[in-house]
Amino acid sequence: MAFDWFKRKAQNITTSTDDKKDVPKGLWHQTPSGKVVEHEELKKNNYVSPEDGFHVRIGSAEFFDILFDDGKFTELDANVESIDMLSFKDTKSYTDRLKEVKAKTKLTDSIRNAVGDVNGTKLVVSCMDFAFIGGSLGSVMGEKIRRAVDYCIENRLPYMIICQSGGARMQEATYSLMQLAKVQSKLAQLSEAGLLYIAYLCDPTFGGITASFAMTADIIMAEPKALIGFAGPRVIRETIGRDLPEGFQTSEFLQEKGFVDFIVKRTEIKETVSKTVNLLAAKA
């Protein structure tokens, strides 16, 4: 009979929890505008919602897969890790915080270096991971950028930093702030060597990173509607005592004011970067 399932007595109409088939986590994604996108469709579109153009926050693994040909690259300086040089403690010790975030993210710090081909053009890319303590700038990020720049100079390669960070890492105090000068001095050497530096600003890019190397690139690109600034809008509003302009601290606002050169969708970043590198290399 077609309806024999309705007569079953052993399990009745109730199925045990163990036998229930839950929908896999991450199968769907809802954007801030309420649009619902299937995960596979989102992945195929470089994690940009085809419904409303919203750029879902991604990490270095996804960015490297998007940028490098066939997703193939060589990671540089993978074993450089943060340590608790100040024995810092807030609600928990910095040592415990590092252990937890490393276990959760499977990352060693908030930035990764890689070298590979982007549409056949070799490029060194440093990409921040917001999932690792908010992509914060610490001694390891500064050191990894320093090593990436040295690699570029030694091998005569262009350089790109993908920025997504809340700013300096408070648990490293002055050691974190010292990285600003350290990175800027290395980027000056890169410029003196006649090599290109591209910054791609993603949501969010804040604090000391915005105040330094995110804004000193030869070419500054940004994702659509990315939030970019030094201090947050509430702090600025209270400091100046007036309302802020519409769209304040968005990449579009900064482009209008001359701080950003291009707004580049993530679906177009690979082509735009390779064309930029080849164009400027031909003029060098």
Side-chain angles (χ1 to χ4, degrees), residues 201 214-221 250-263:
L201 314 186
M215 289 295 185
T216 58
D218 299 304
I219 301 293
I220 302 174
M221 304 178 186
T250 62
S251 50
E252 289 78 8
F253 183 88
L254 292 178
Q255 184 187 36
E256 182 183 331
K257 301 301 179 183
F259 287 95
V260 169
D261 296 309
F262 307 110
I263 306 295

Side-chain angles (χ1 to χ4, degrees), residues 138-280:
S139 56
V140 166
M141 182 182 288
E143 176 61 15
K144 281 197 170 186
I145 293 176
R146 193 275 298 175
R147 295 188 186 196
V149 171
D150 283 345
Y151 186 93
C152 288
I153 294 173
E154 182 180 350
N155 294 279
R156 304 296 301 168
L157 295 174
Y159 185 44
M160 177 181 183
I161 299 181
I162 300 174
C163 300
Q164 42 186 351
S165 172
R169 189 175 300 176
M170 70 173 189
Q171 291 91 345
E172 295 189 19
T174 307
Y175 285 98
S176 173
L177 299 178
M178 288 168 61
Q179 306 311 309
L180 302 176
K182 177 178 179 177
V183 170
Q184 283 302 131
S185 65
K186 295 306 298 183
L187 291 173
Q189 292 178 14
L190 188 75
S191 179
E192 289 169 3
L195 298 170
L196 178 66
Y197 165 41
I198 297 173
Y200 188 41
L201 314 186
C202 303
D203 183 69
T205 298
F206 269 88
I209 287 174
T210 304
S212 57
F213 56 87
M215 289 295 185
T216 58
D218 299 304
I219 301 293
I220 302 174
M221 304 178 186
E223 286 186 341
K225 296 182 172 57
L227 291 178
I228 304 165
F230 179 65
R234 179 182 59 81
V235 174
I236 296 173
R237 189 183 300 110
E238 292 177 355
T239 301
I240 66 176
R242 62 173 63 180
D243 291 332
L244 301 174
E246 185 177 351
F248 182 71
Q249 290 188 329
T250 62
S251 50
E252 289 78 8
F253 183 88
L254 292 178
Q255 184 187 36
E256 182 183 331
K257 301 301 179 183
F259 287 95
V260 169
D261 296 309
F262 307 110
I263 306 295
V264 184
K265 296 177 182 177
R266 196 183 295 154
T267 50
E268 302 170 357
I269 187 62
K270 182 173 182 175
E271 288 294 327
T272 304
V273 167
S274 62
K275 287 179 180 178
T276 300
V277 171
N278 290 326
L279 177 65
L280 294 182

Side-chain angles (χ1 to χ4, degrees), residues 83-85 87-88 92-100:
I83 60 171
D84 186 4
M85 71 281 283
S87 299
F88 189 95
K92 65 178 67 175
S93 72
Y94 183 35
T95 298
D96 290 341
R97 197 177 294 279
L98 286 172
K99 287 179 181 178
E100 288 178 9

